[in-house]
Amino acid sequence: MKNLIAELLVKLAQKEEESKELVAQVEALEIVVTALLRHMDKQNQQALIDSVEGALDNAKPDSLVPAQDAEMLHQYVKKLLRHPRS
């Protein structure tokens, strides 16, 4: 029983580490996208935003992806493009 608990704790620690790494990757991407948007002139910035939003609107999520997850992705992308980090 102790071995099972120890194995579960090790797996949990590994998952937590993977989660931290994913959070760091997402935050790094947010910083990069924000910096790129800030260095673009307004016309090119708007063209990029329209292009990304258009691609998102036309994308059909896989049937295995829950509609709620697809909507969450849309909301995060639009938030990132329209209201980048300060």
Side-chain angles (χ1 to χ4, degrees):
M1 186 67 155
K2 287 182 181 180
N3 286 341
L4 177 61
I5 293 173
E7 286 179 35
L8 289 174
L9 288 173
V10 167
K11 286 184 180 184
L12 182 61
Q14 289 171 338
K15 294 293 181 186
E16 186 176 337
E17 192 62 34
E18 290 171 4
S19 177
K20 287 179 184 179
E21 186 175 324
L22 286 173
V23 168
Q25 288 175 3
V26 168
E27 288 180 355
L29 287 171
E30 285 182 21
I31 292 167
V32 169
V33 168
T34 298
L36 289 171
L37 286 171
R38 287 187 179 155
H39 284 89
M40 296 175 80
D41 63 55
K42 289 293 182 187
Q43 184 178 3
N44 286 333
Q45 186 182 57
Q46 190 58 49
L48 176 66
I49 290 170
D50 292 342
S51 177
V52 171
E53 288 180 346
L56 258 179
D57 291 340
N58 292 331
K60 302 287 185 233
D62 188 296
S63 61
L64 299 175
V65 176
Q68 183 180 358
D69 291 354
E71 181 59 29
M72 187 181 345
L73 174 66
H74 280 218
Q75 293 303 320
Y76 278 122
V77 169
K78 288 186 179 193
K79 178 183 175 191
L80 179 60
L81 294 174
R82 297 289 177 175
H83 307 287
R85 294 169 72 143
S86 311

